[in-house]
Amino acid sequence: NKRIEKIDANYDLITARACASVEKLFALTFQMKKPKTRFLFLKGKKVHLEIDQAQKSWHFALKQHRSLVDSEGCILEISGVSRHEQSNKFRS
């Protein structure tokens, strides 16, 4: 077991449930992705707000799947994650 910030490997698939916003999840896991990594995030009723916020700093392709266990939930299937150019300029 390690804190997410300490993981130094790359993965084909990254999943999260009830962990953080989409934007924060991208920031936490960006160093772990490969060019073709897919992300599966289980999200609740505020998913549209999270997507809108993430799109301000990140490019990504998104498929949204209806949850079979939660009428307000969904599963985001995300690929092609990259930072906007302006976001790269402000990183230290």
Side-chain angles (χ1 to χ4, degrees):
N1 291 336
K2 289 184 180 181
R3 290 194 50 87
I4 196 167
E5 299 89 345
K6 303 267 186 201
I7 296 174
D8 59 354
N10 298 102
Y11 299 95
D12 296 317
L13 180 66
I14 297 173
T15 66
R17 178 187 169 274
C19 181
S21 69
V22 172
E23 181 179 25
K24 179 75 171 178
L25 287 167
F26 286 160
L28 288 170
T29 61
F30 190 72
Q31 79 281 359
M32 291 183 252
K33 77 175 202 63
K34 296 177 181 181
K36 294 191 178 197
T37 294
R38 285 188 314 138
F39 297 79
L40 296 177
F41 298 151
L42 286 72
K43 292 305 199 172
K45 60 185 172 183
K46 295 183 181 180
V47 67
H48 297 294
L49 296 173
E50 289 189 35
I51 292 168
D52 291 345
Q53 187 65 34
Q55 287 175 329
K56 293 177 183 177
S57 300
W58 300 90
H59 294 288
F60 52 94
L62 172 70
K63 291 181 186 176
Q64 191 168 334
H65 305 277
R66 185 174 50 94
S67 172
L68 299 177
V69 296
D70 180 356
S71 63
E72 294 184 332
C74 69
I75 300 168
L76 300 182
E77 180 181 347
I78 301 169
S79 60
V81 175
S82 65
R83 287 190 174 97
H84 285 225
E85 281 300 316
Q86 63 213 47
S87 297
N88 287 330
K89 292 178 188 174
F90 298 110
R91 295 204 60 210
S92 52

